[in-house]
Amino acid sequence: PMTDAEKELAQVKKDEASMRSQMSSNSATLPGLQLPVTQDLQTNLEKFKKGFINYLQIKLDTDKEELKLWDCGNIKASEFPEKIPVEEPRYHLFNYQHDFEGESIWKIVFIYSCPGYSVPVKQRMMYSSTKSCFLDSLAKMDIDIAGKREISEGDEVKEVEIYEMIHPQKHASRTHFIKPKAPSKGGRRLIDRVIS
């Protein structure tokens, strides 16, 4: 017997397989979806770039097939996990102010939040397909992304994780794989008789 989670996962895999089979072999290599951006989002991207606000939450409207602003403002890194919705995917841009090597600096992180398999397949696929084109359009606007991450819930992206996303820790000593010794070349041992 399958648990509810296993049944749900099996259904999602079945739906994804059917969507893949509907695509032709030529369309499987599409670079991504370039969706239009609403004027409100465009205006707030400019404000974000200039530093007037440090947080944007972007929603993909699947009916109108456009990216639109869902939330924006100035938040602290400790407030970021509370901004992650539990019912729908979103893109998040956060300009993180922090101290690094004695300097106060700002670095932008891009977070794609998707709350798992409770989201319809079409919505997940549209977000995934649009992500690379949206990141390319941000780069063309000179919005430099220092770190990117995909998460399923807000607890996965606390201030420590944001900091490590931008400044990964360098490990001084690496453990190398130690090759096991070859078997000994000793002679074979045969049992001639059984002693009872």
Side-chain angles (χ1 to χ4, degrees):
M2 296 173 79
T3 64
D4 290 339
E6 290 172 332
K7 289 177 185 175
E8 190 175 311
L9 182 60
Q11 182 62 39
V12 166
K13 287 182 179 179
K14 181 181 167 187
D15 292 345
E16 287 176 348
S18 69
M19 288 187 82
R20 270 190 239 111
S21 67
Q22 291 173 2
M23 289 190 216
S24 68
S25 60
N26 293 337
S27 66
T29 58
L30 289 174
L33 294 174
Q34 180 71 46
L35 295 182
V37 173
T38 62
Q39 185 60 45
D40 189 30
L41 176 56
Q42 186 66 39
T43 302
N44 282 286
L45 279 168
E46 289 297 327
K47 287 181 183 178
F48 180 82
K49 179 181 170 183
K50 292 176 182 174
F52 295 122
I53 54 176
N54 73 347
Y55 174 74
L56 292 174
Q57 186 177 125
I58 297 117
K59 179 180 179 174
L60 192 155
D61 188 336
T62 53
D63 295 331
K64 295 181 181 177
E65 294 190 354
E66 65 183 8
L67 293 172
K68 65 181 186 179
L69 180 69
W70 190 255
D71 188 12
C72 67
N74 287 305
I75 64 168
K76 297 176 186 172
S78 59
E79 299 169 338
F80 189 80
E82 300 165 10
K83 294 286 190 177
I84 308 297
V86 294
E87 70 284 346
E88 290 186 6
R90 295 282 194 278
Y91 297 140
H92 307 266
L93 286 171
F94 180 54
N95 199 352
Y96 176 49
Q97 181 186 11
H98 60 286
D99 292 329
F100 181 68
E101 296 180 352
E103 280 187 60
S104 181
I105 59 174
W106 295 80
K107 292 285 183 178
I108 299 171
V109 293
F110 174 83
I111 308 286
Y112 164 44
S113 66
C114 186
Y117 294 107
S118 61
V119 177
V121 175
K122 177 185 177 184
Q123 197 173 17
R124 279 188 287 129
M125 290 184 83
M126 284 189 72
Y127 268 92
S128 294
S129 300
T130 307
K131 183 177 72 169
S132 63
C133 291
F134 181 61
L135 288 170
D136 288 344
S137 66
L138 292 176
K140 289 176 185 172
M141 291 180 66
D142 293 325
I143 297 176
D144 297 321
I145 306 296
K148 300 174 202 162
R149 187 147 180 211
E150 293 185 18
I151 62 168
S152 58
E153 56 187 39
D155 290 341
E156 295 177 45
V157 64
K158 295 180 181 169
E159 187 168 2
V160 173
E161 286 86 0
I162 295 171
Y163 184 87
E164 289 179 356
M165 191 186 328
I166 299 168
H167 308 289
Q169 292 182 357
K170 297 175 185 167
H171 299 287
S173 62
R174 289 187 173 196
T175 54
H176 295 285
F177 176 73
I178 300 171
K179 186 176 176 182
K181 292 183 180 180
S184 66
K185 301 289 185 189
R188 292 175 36 194
R189 297 182 185 161
L190 300 174
I191 300 176
D192 291 343
R193 58 184 171 193
V194 178
I195 301 172
S196 52

